[in-house]
Amino acid sequence: MRLIKLLACCGALFGAVAVHAQENNLKVKWDFASDYDANRNKALTLTLLNTGGKAIDLSGYELWFNSMYPIQERPDAAVDIHNRNGNLYAIDFAKNTVIKERDSLVITYDSPYPITHTSLTPNGFYLQGKANPEDVIDLGHPEVALLDISTAEQNQVLNRLFAKNEQIMGQVDAQLILPTPAKMDIGRGFLTLPETVKYSIAPEFGNMMKHLETLAGQLSQYQFIEAPQGDAFIQWRHDSSLSQEEYTLNIDGKGIRIGASTDAGAFYALQSLKSLLHAAHLRGQGKVALLFMAVQDKPRYGYRGFMMDIARNFKDVAVIKKYIDLMAQYKLNKFHLHLIDDEGWRLEIPSLPELTEIGSVRSADFKDGNSIQPAYGSGPEATAGAYLSKPQFQEILTYAADRFITVIPEVETPGHGRAAIKAMETRYNRLMKAGKKQEAEEFLLYEAADQSVYSSAQYWDDNVMNPALPSVYRFLDVVVEDIKKMYNEVGLELKLISLGGDEVPAGSWEKSPAIKALMEKEGMESVYEVWPYYMKKIQQICASKGMDLAGWEEFGMINKGSGMVVNNELSHLNMHLDVWNNVIGGGQEDLAYRLANAGYKTVFTSCANFYLDMVWNKDFREPGLKWASITDLEHAFSLLPENFFANMQYTEAGSKLEKGKLVSKVRLTEKGRSNLIGVKGALWAETILTADRMDYMLLPRFYALAERAWAPKRSWEDDYKFDKKAYDKTYKEFVHKVGNQELPKLARIGDGFNYRLPSVGVLQKGQTLFANAEYPGFTLVYTVNGADPGPESTTLGEGEGVKVKSGDVVHFATVDSQGRVGRTSTYVVE
């Protein structure tokens, strides 16, 4: 393929046809340029391929697409590439740009950052007519070329993975219950369930029957019948001495006895009982025999959270409910729904229908103001219906509440507010046209005269609400009130709402006349003082409605001219902070502790461990981002919430730490420990285009989150005497529980999960290759004939080797019980 110069000649010279006639023959390919160097020259290419027999005339079109990283034009570029805001780009073709039959147009550009994983490549390509914007041709996502690495480098990667996997190999007693109970004593003997299982439920547990019926339906090899408590084999007894989520579980020769003071405790006991079962049992197969045991259990943290971002790429009710079921099974109780962001408003607000009519729709027609622009590869087609209606949201609220999960909605403000800003701008224009000036200005979120210049973390230059406008607070009051009513109407109370606060970019408000007037009125000396002013105003809105304010860490911080620091003056407002910034080597590793010590209710949302959109490893084919960490299952598990630095020297994520750097980091005080109310995992959706991709990114790392949120603090969780050997043993027991027992159970939740299968590590010893998997429970297969491995390929047993000779290329992969095949590991024999 060659770079075609944009010839100033007519398409007819080549016999070119209109692009529509040949659109099925127009393909897009992305690749690294021949001079690409991740450390120096990050040159990349987009290639438009004409696979047909006639030339294609691109005159009159622009090529639109999204790019996660900024695009920098090269001096020798044959076309102009323009950023259209955010991550949306357009290539403006010169007059008479033609691609000959079976030829190509190669466009070379630079990136400021190395493209390390497939999720960072451009996507969502479409052509749009310059003269007629309705003339749109969807080209979809490009063919992506893989990053070439040498055979020696590839083999070294597989060698290192083999060594890491080897730590979990061999026989081990798997963890019995996930998450680990606070106290568990194992007896001698087994309890075998009778064919007819008699049960009794204390009348105080009004919600337990439907949950027991669900389990009974899965254990179809048994018949469950209600009986008086004295005759029951499984008994739920009310015990008022236990705390809200506490329970006892006793299994012995007499049967199963569960004690709890609340429905929640009784429910969690049932989940522990379910954790003792095998996947086959839950398919109605085999007899259940349970170890004698006495369990006394309660959670380590009252806040055990999971955040799902449905703003960037929408997920529907069925997907959300499936994850609520997963949360419930593993005892998470706070579901943080990230509903609003620059790229979408995903919740119907009855008082302001424009928010979803406009803010939930991304399309190529965004310039007319009736939608917002494509993002993250959404393409040109209008994303109609990509929001939760009021009835759907209320269905989610009650579904979660039935499983003892509180839904915490997030309305992102004042940054990340573009979808709302644009929706209210369209409302304003409509009402102004109708001569209704006062009504038009009621919910305006931006100031037309504001000349501030900024670029957000996602490269937006118009995504920040203006806190000097009374209409901003009127808007938030109405939105929060509408959401509160949705809870009240289904018998629930909204006690905590997140209003965001994340990533307001430098430069915001600095050239705003309204901000200048506000500062003069309030006696502010710096624009930085606008931030705590805004905090107090929105906290008052929440307090007036009987709820507390939650938000990201910046709510508890202030910029005094040299970067954000802890603000000690607002901790009395009872705000809940989701503290994410602890990138290893980034300098803020102790921020969660500093905020908790200052008196803020802190939820440790560790980006270094529990941002579950991060890549699994360094393989280019792995989806996700890597700015916070590279997070495999063990790295997620390694988070020690109250002793973050204890095992940091053993982790691989982040920059290499200087010797002694951790000594100066702040640790939790006793006050801080009381304010660290929980942990949370977060799945940001920039790279999560589908529900299957969500499954892949979350599982099995989700289990590490559940374990850290509920399980008691271990004796080896100590900054100054961390016991690596004890930690390794605990992880080995955990990973065998996950791989052998818990992942197979996922088929019984909703329609199942397309979770990530383990990668294969390889080691060469002489003329023999040995292979192992990152977690157990899967069949390991291989091929030596060049074919991709599949369910029918040769099986490799644990400890077995493959005899090879120099030059052989061997492909390894894992296969699950459904025949799904994991990512191929290719080893070239030396």
Side-chain angles (χ1 to χ4, degrees), residues 426-615:
T426 298
R427 177 186 182 277
Y428 169 83
N429 291 334
R430 173 176 57 80
L431 291 170
M432 286 294 289
K433 189 175 182 180
K436 301 178 179 180
K437 183 175 185 294
Q438 182 176 351
E439 188 178 348
E441 294 176 343
E442 184 178 8
F443 300 109
L444 197 60
L445 302 179
Y446 76 101
E447 178 191 15
D450 186 355
Q451 299 298 309
S452 301
V453 177
Y454 58 83
S455 180
S456 76
Q458 285 76 34
Y459 311 109
W460 300 103
D461 60 15
D462 57 354
N463 75 332
V464 182
M465 301 176 185
N466 192 317
L469 303 180
S471 51
V472 167
Y473 305 104
R474 171 64 178 151
F475 170 83
L476 290 176
D477 185 84
V478 168
V479 169
V480 172
E481 183 64 27
D482 269 19
I483 297 174
K484 178 184 176 181
K485 288 178 181 177
M486 294 185 210
Y487 280 74
N488 292 344
E489 288 172 3
V490 292
L492 299 171
E493 184 179 359
L494 178 58
K495 297 180 180 180
L496 184 68
I497 187 170
S498 174
L499 295 184
D502 195 29
E503 296 181 326
V504 174
S508 301
W509 313 323
E510 291 182 354
K511 297 182 179 180
S512 161
I515 290 290
K516 182 179 179 181
L518 174 69
M519 291 173 61
E520 292 174 354
K521 176 184 176 183
E522 298 292 331
M524 298 178 188
E525 296 181 0
S526 167
V527 72
Y528 298 130
E529 295 177 63
V530 174
W531 185 246
Y533 170 86
Y534 178 74
M535 295 300 98
K536 294 173 186 176
K537 294 278 286 186
I538 62 174
Q539 191 273 336
Q540 290 168 3
I541 291 174
C542 294
S544 71
K545 301 179 186 301
M547 63 185 74
D548 288 328
L549 171 65
W552 298 100
E553 60 204 34
E554 289 93 333
F555 274 4
M557 302 179 76
I558 187 171
N559 190 334
K560 296 183 179 181
S562 57
M564 297 290 278
V565 296
V566 173
N567 184 354
N568 292 302
E569 297 180 5
L570 297 182
S571 60
H572 66 284
L573 296 179
N574 201 38
M575 292 189 292
H576 289 55
L577 302 184
D578 296 313
V579 185
W580 60 268
N581 189 359
N582 67 332
V583 176
I584 298 172
Q588 299 289 338
E589 296 90 347
D590 57 358
L591 181 58
Y593 298 164
R594 286 187 276 128
L595 286 163
N597 291 347
Y600 290 99
K601 299 299 181 186
T602 299
V603 181
F604 201 171
T605 313
S606 168
C607 70
N609 305 86
F610 286 149
Y611 265 27
L612 301 177
D613 56 309
M614 294 296 112
V615 292

Side-chain angles (χ1 to χ4, degrees), residues 758-760 779-783 789-790 811-815 821-825:
S759 293
V760 178
T779 302
L780 204 158
V781 298
Y782 70 94
T783 63
H811 299 305
F812 295 91
T814 51
V815 178
V821 182
R823 194 173 303 286
T824 299
S825 292

Side-chain angles (χ1 to χ4, degrees), residues 142-203:
E143 175 189 343
V144 173
L146 301 182
L147 176 63
D148 286 331
I149 63 174
S150 70
T151 296
E153 289 176 309
Q154 176 65 19
N155 288 355
Q156 287 172 6
V157 168
L158 298 180
N159 292 164
R160 287 194 294 268
L161 182 57
F162 182 93
K164 185 167 187 175
N165 295 347
E166 206 167 26
Q167 298 174 25
I168 62 148
M169 294 297 106
Q171 295 300 314
V172 67
D173 290 331
Q175 182 175 322
L176 284 172
I177 296 174
L178 198 163
T180 302
K183 183 179 180 181
M184 180 168 54
D185 295 321
I186 305 301
R188 296 182 178 180
F190 289 86
L191 174 69
T192 301
L193 265 62
E195 291 185 3
T196 299
V197 179
K198 297 179 180 180
Y199 67 88
S200 66
I201 302 174

Side-chain angles (χ1 to χ4, degrees), residues 586-733:
Q588 299 289 338
E589 296 90 347
D590 57 358
L591 181 58
Y593 298 164
R594 286 187 276 128
L595 286 163
N597 291 347
Y600 290 99
K601 299 299 181 186
T602 299
V603 181
F604 201 171
T605 313
S606 168
C607 70
N609 305 86
F610 286 149
Y611 265 27
L612 301 177
D613 56 309
M614 294 296 112
V615 292
W616 187 277
N617 58 37
K618 295 180 181 179
D619 191 322
F620 180 81
R621 298 168 296 173
E622 284 287 347
L625 303 175
K626 62 166 288 188
W627 62 265
S629 69
I630 294 174
T631 302
D632 60 12
L633 180 58
E634 192 275 330
H635 186 69
F637 182 86
S638 73
L639 174 66
L640 309 182
E642 294 166 35
N643 299 85
F644 182 57
F645 310 110
N647 60 346
M648 194 173 290
Q649 64 177 306
Y650 301 105
T651 68
E652 296 181 0
S655 304
K656 185 174 179 61
L657 293 169
E658 298 173 10
K659 187 176 182 180
K661 187 172 182 178
L662 299 180
V663 174
S664 63
K665 295 297 179 183
V666 171
R667 268 64 174 178
L668 278 176
T669 62
E670 285 305 309
K671 175 184 177 182
R673 204 174 304 278
S674 68
N675 287 320
L676 187 63
I677 62 174
V679 297
K680 182 188 295 183
L683 185 76
W684 297 103
E686 291 99 324
T687 65
I688 316 297
L689 304 186
T690 66
D692 283 352
R693 175 59 57 81
M694 179 180 285
D695 293 348
Y696 183 98
M697 301 305 291
L698 281 172
L699 291 157
R701 297 184 291 192
F702 191 90
Y703 297 109
L705 168 63
E707 180 72 6
R708 283 290 163 263
W710 181 282
K713 184 176 181 179
R714 304 282 187 162
S715 60
W716 40 259
E717 291 187 49
D718 191 298
D719 278 2
Y720 305 104
K721 51 181 179 180
F722 177 70
D723 187 339
K724 180 68 162 58
K725 185 176 181 181
Y727 167 86
D728 287 344
K729 180 177 182 294
T730 306
Y731 177 67
K732 187 174 180 179
E733 293 167 350

Side-chain angles (χ1 to χ4, degrees), residues 3-36:
L3 178 62
I4 293 182
K5 300 298 182 182
L6 302 188
L7 303 177
C9 54
C10 64
L13 179 64
F14 298 106
V17 298
V19 69
H20 276 283
Q22 290 283 85
E23 64 180 87
N24 291 334
N25 297 323
L26 191 59
K27 311 297 181 186
V28 183
K29 180 180 179 180
W30 180 93
D31 202 349
F32 297 90
S34 58
D35 57 343
Y36 178 83

